[in-house]
Amino acid sequence: MIWNEILCIGDSLTSGARDSYGRSYPAELGSLLTKETNEFYYCHNFSINGETSSDLQKRAWSNISSGKNSKIMILIIGTNDSEAKIPGDIYEDNIRQIVNIGRVFGMYVILGTIPDLGFTPLYLNPKYIKLYNGIIKTLSKKMEFDVVDLSGIEMCDGVHFTHEGNIEVAGRFKDHILGLQK
């Protein structure tokens, strides 16, 4: 049997918080890739609800080294940074370090943009989402990692993906990954 591992790290958007079936985009991505390629794909899900990029940076080495058989690392982080109002330079350095750790372990790195948030009293800082997405796009050129646009995904509470939203996120990453093989 041929199998492939992908490492997915991030916050509640990666963990699948609020998915009505307890699923996540990593679970859906593994399923979609397996169906499309007839090879087994497993997506490790190293995510913690409520985490900021600073929190993730602290555990990145441990989690990324745990998934060292993965050839691809997918990262979505920043929603909670917007609530905490993490300055752009700190966010940028956290992303830089996390991407570099993935590269130390030979992984191809793909970042998802932070989706636009709907109305919620906790996250009223859309300027930070715009700032962080700009940082992601600028850093992707400097560091040569890929970016998948996650705008327009269905949310259940203004912050978290619905089940259908998780499938849409997985589909966007699947299309990107399969496009790399061409």
Side-chain angles (χ1 to χ4, degrees):
M1 172 192 284
I2 298 173
W3 78 90
N4 302 279
E5 297 178 50
I6 296 173
L7 178 70
C8 301
I9 58 176
D11 55 23
S12 58
L13 295 180
T14 300
S15 76
R18 311 283 192 285
D19 183 290
S20 54
Y21 301 109
R23 301 275 290 177
S24 62
Y25 89 77
E28 301 302 340
L29 177 59
S31 181
L32 290 173
L33 285 167
T34 297
K35 286 178 189 170
E36 183 121 354
T37 66
N38 292 318
E39 296 177 6
F40 176 65
Y41 276 83
Y42 183 76
C43 296
H44 299 276
N45 188 337
F46 288 111
S47 57
I48 296 177
N49 295 341
E51 195 162 64
T52 66
S53 64
S54 295
D55 298 322
L56 179 55
Q57 183 277 330
K58 291 175 196 169
R59 68 176 175 87
W61 187 276
S62 173
N63 285 165
I64 295 169
S65 66
S66 294
K68 63 185 172 195
N69 290 331
S70 301
K71 302 294 183 239
I72 296 172
M73 180 180 86
I74 297 174
L75 168 63
I76 304 173
I77 193 79
T79 302
N80 298 305
D81 292 66
S82 74
E83 178 187 11
K85 299 179 184 167
I86 301 291
D89 61 328
I90 301 291
Y91 180 79
E92 181 176 345
D93 189 58
N94 289 335
I95 298 301
R96 184 185 320 278
Q97 289 188 48
I98 295 164
V99 167
N100 281 332
I101 294 167
R103 291 206 170 129
V104 164
F105 291 98
M107 295 178 195
Y108 192 89
V109 179
I110 305 170
L111 267 71
T113 60
I114 305 162
D116 296 325
L117 303 177
F119 175 76
T120 173
L122 297 177
Y123 301 92
L124 297 176
N125 300 302
K127 71 178 186 179
Y128 282 91
I129 301 294
K130 185 176 180 177
L131 171 67
Y132 301 153
N133 281 337
I135 289 168
I136 289 169
K137 290 172 185 170
T138 300
L139 242 131
S140 74
K141 291 178 179 75
K142 290 179 186 175
M143 296 182 73
E144 298 180 349
F145 59 78
D146 291 359
V147 176
V148 171
D149 182 4
L150 299 181
S151 61
I153 306 279
E154 186 177 343
M155 302 275 193
C156 63
D157 60 1
V159 180
H160 300 97
F161 302 127
T162 61
H163 178 69
E164 294 74 22
N166 278 317
I167 293 170
E168 174 68 23
V169 171
R172 291 185 191 188
F173 282 121
K174 173 197 65 96
D175 291 344
H176 189 85
I177 290 166
L178 294 178
L180 296 172
Q181 298 173 351
K182 294 179 181 177

